[in-house]
Amino acid sequence: MIADKGTKVVGELHERQGGRVPYFIETPARDYLGASYSTEYDSMMKETELRALEQLKTLREVSPTATITPPKQLPVRQCAGDFT
């Protein structure tokens, strides 16, 4: 939404929706975005899924980083005294 319409649309939507009855809340979105909120949401979900699939593909193509295991866990020292 912001990528397509810019940050100004957030303020415009906020102003127009502030005093609306919930059943009529779609009108500002249709005016400024050219689509309903459900359509914008579906579009956002599809774009997110595509990005995630591309990232997963990239992760599967590269070799994993070697795991470094610490040699041995050091004992925890007990402190004497009350620090409250």
Side-chain angles (χ1 to χ4, degrees):
M1 174 173 68
I2 292 174
D4 296 333
K5 303 291 182 180
T7 56
K8 186 177 178 183
V9 74
V10 175
E12 291 170 346
L13 285 171
H14 177 72
E15 289 294 321
R16 294 253 334 255
Q17 290 176 340
R20 288 192 173 260
V21 177
Y23 298 107
F24 301 107
I25 205 152
E26 289 284 331
T27 304
R30 289 182 193 279
D31 291 347
Y32 288 115
L33 306 175
S36 68
Y37 279 119
S38 59
T39 302
E40 284 293 315
Y41 179 80
D42 290 341
S43 175
M44 180 269 312
M45 290 302 290
K46 287 177 186 172
E47 290 174 16
T48 301
E49 183 178 11
L50 288 175
R51 281 196 312 270
L53 290 172
E54 288 176 17
Q55 291 170 355
L56 287 170
K57 180 182 174 194
T58 300
L59 288 171
R60 289 181 182 121
E61 291 173 351
V62 297
S63 58
T65 304
T67 304
I68 300 172
T69 307
K72 184 177 177 182
Q73 188 172 3
L74 299 174
V76 177
R77 292 185 180 194
Q78 298 295 323
C79 296
D82 186 6
F83 294 100
T84 58

